[in-house]
């Protein structure tokens, strides 16, 4: 039986986050330039976005470019930024057809002007879509996000808009780029690496982690459904005992 049929649609993770890794190795294995791997990665993005929408996942967040990725060779960074622009242009139709709203998190001002403009346009055009929120993490780093969060809260305290005593977890949540998103339930990382690489550190506090050796360009809906099925067969205890959950 296909994993899709095994999934309990009443127990779906509300928020899935994906560290899409392995484009470079995929290309290298085939004797291609790394750019070809990134291009192929966009096919996997489309498939996974559609897969999530099909079964009713409400939030999907994709790690597309980290703050650390700026340290890659300029040629690769340029390729990734160009690919971002062309994908946004191409995939607006997928988003509209599937009633998906685009969202972006990260230090977005550092993106090239063209990418910012395209991003803004697609975000505006899909603003009233209701089926799913697709969040792209671009120039995103969790430490940068937390630094930004601390600064904005401090600013409010300084201006007496907020008292120190009023700072709690929900105030912190409201000052993160992810302010409108629920906590991550399931975090998937492809390519066999088992690390977080500065992605959503606060938001994954109680996420279930799923690592697969599949390289991102080869990842498809069925692999996503397998990850969700695996997630549904875990016991999330949130500090309690198994007996308490019964
Ligand atoms: C993920 O693939 C894409 C980005 C980080 C932008 P990589 O480019 O990291 O691929 P590997 O890890 O070198 O195989
Ligand atoms: C993480 O992948 C960032 C993205 C997937 C966008 P990397 O390939 O940059 O991570 P590290 O450097 O191997 O940890
Ligand atoms: Mg990598």
């Amino acid at each position: 039986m296909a994993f899709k049929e095994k999934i309990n649609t009443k127990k779906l993770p509300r928020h899935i986050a994906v560290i899409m890794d392995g484009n470079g190795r995929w290309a290298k294995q085939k004797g291609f330039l790394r750019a070809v791997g990134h291009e192929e990665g966009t096919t996997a993005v489309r498939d996974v976005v559609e897969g999530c929408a099909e079964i009713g996942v409400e939030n999907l967040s994709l790690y597309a470019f980290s703050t650390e990725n700026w340290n890659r060779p300029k040629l690769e960074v340029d390729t990734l930024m160009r690919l971002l622009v062309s994908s946004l242009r191409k995939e607006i139709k997928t988003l509209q057809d599937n009633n998906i709203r685009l969202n972006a998190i990260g230090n977005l001002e550092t993106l090239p002007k063209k990418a910012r403009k395209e991003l803004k346009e697609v975000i505006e055009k899909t603003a009233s879509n209701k089926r799913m929120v697709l969040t792209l993490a671009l120039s995103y780093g969790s430490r940068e996000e937390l630094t930004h969060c601390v600064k904005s809260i401090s600013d409010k305290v300084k201006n007496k808009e907020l008292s120190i005593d009023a700072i709690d977890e929900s105030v912190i949540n409201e000052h993160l780029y992810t302010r409108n998103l629920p906590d991550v339930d399931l975090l998937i990382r492809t390519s066999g690496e088992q690390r977080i690489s500065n992605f959503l550190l606060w938001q994954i506090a109680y996420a279930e982690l799923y690592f697969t050796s599949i390289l991102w360009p080869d990842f498809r809906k069925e692999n996503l459904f397998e990850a969700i099925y695996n997630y549904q067969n875990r016991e999330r205890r949130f500090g309690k005992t198994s007996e308490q959950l019964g």
Side-chain angles (χ1 to χ4, degrees):
M1 192 167 46
F3 283 105
K4 189 179 178 186
E5 274 105 72
K6 293 199 209 172
I7 290 175
N8 177 352
T9 48
K10 295 196 178 69
K11 269 180 53 187
L12 287 173
R14 273 189 77 199
H15 186 178
I16 299 179
V18 187
I19 303 175
M20 311 183 288
D21 199 12
N23 295 352
R25 276 162 285 169
W26 183 93
K28 195 171 179 184
Q29 279 177 6
K30 296 192 153 42
F32 299 141
L33 293 170
R34 292 178 61 86
V36 181
H38 295 313
E39 236 159 79
E40 276 300 307
T42 62
T43 305
V45 170
R46 192 179 317 123
D47 210 58
V48 165
V49 168
E50 284 176 354
C52 280
E54 261 170 44
I55 60 169
V57 172
E58 291 167 27
N59 298 281
L60 172 66
S61 299
L62 302 176
Y63 204 5
F65 193 87
S66 73
T67 45
E68 289 73 24
N69 289 148
W70 289 113
N71 298 320
R72 291 193 178 192
K74 184 175 184 307
L75 188 66
E76 178 160 350
V77 171
D78 289 349
T79 302
L80 284 164
M81 292 303 147
R82 232 179 306 117
L83 204 56
L84 170 64
V85 172
S86 64
S87 301
L88 285 166
R89 281 190 192 144
K90 213 159 68 195
E91 300 307 331
I92 173 110
K93 186 168 158 31
T94 313
L95 299 180
Q96 299 294 34
D97 289 351
N98 290 283
N99 196 12
I100 298 167
R101 175 161 76 79
L102 188 74
N103 176 41
I105 56 172
N107 192 359
L108 303 175
E109 295 98 84
T110 57
L111 295 173
K113 207 169 155 203
K114 222 173 175 178
R116 281 197 325 256
K117 179 174 166 276
E118 206 62 42
L119 203 56
K120 186 166 172 271
E121 257 181 58
V122 180
I123 288 172
E124 281 169 4
K125 280 184 183 153
T126 60
S128 59
N129 290 353
K130 293 278 183 301
R131 192 176 181 189
M132 182 174 100
V133 178
L134 169 65
T135 299
L136 294 183
L138 293 162
S139 190
Y140 175 89
S142 211
R143 288 181 170 184
E144 192 280 327
E145 177 183 40
L146 289 166
T147 307
H148 177 267
C149 169
V150 170
K151 280 185 181 165
S152 28
I153 292 176
S154 309
D155 215 41
K156 287 190 182 167
V157 170
K158 189 174 122 194
N159 297 329
K160 306 220 177 336
E161 289 167 50
L162 189 69
S163 78
I164 290 181
D165 290 340
I167 300 173
D168 58 10
E169 291 185 12
S170 74
V171 169
I172 294 176
N173 269 322
E174 282 160 27
H175 290 81
L176 294 171
Y177 298 138
T178 51
R179 64 184 66 81
N180 298 314
L181 299 172
D183 278 352
V184 175
D185 296 307
L186 171 61
L187 174 75
I188 299 172
R189 184 171 189 148
T190 59
S191 89
E193 307 299 349
Q194 302 195 3
R195 55 176 172 266
I196 305 299
S197 303
N198 204 9
F199 193 38
L200 302 174
L201 298 179
W202 169 277
Q203 300 87 340
I204 60 165
Y206 253 108
E208 295 296 328
L209 310 182
Y210 182 88
F211 299 104
T212 168
S213 58
I214 299 172
L215 301 175
W216 179 252
D218 289 330
F219 198 82
R220 289 294 178 274
K221 277 177 201 181
E222 188 56 11
N223 308 114
L224 167 83
F225 298 149
E226 182 174 4
I228 296 174
Y229 178 71
N230 179 292
Y231 161 90
Q232 291 186 330
N233 285 288
R234 297 183 188 189
E235 184 177 61
R236 301 186 77 195
R237 290 192 286 278
F238 296 99
K240 294 182 178 171
T241 67
S242 193
E243 289 69 27
Q244 282 178 295
L245 300 172

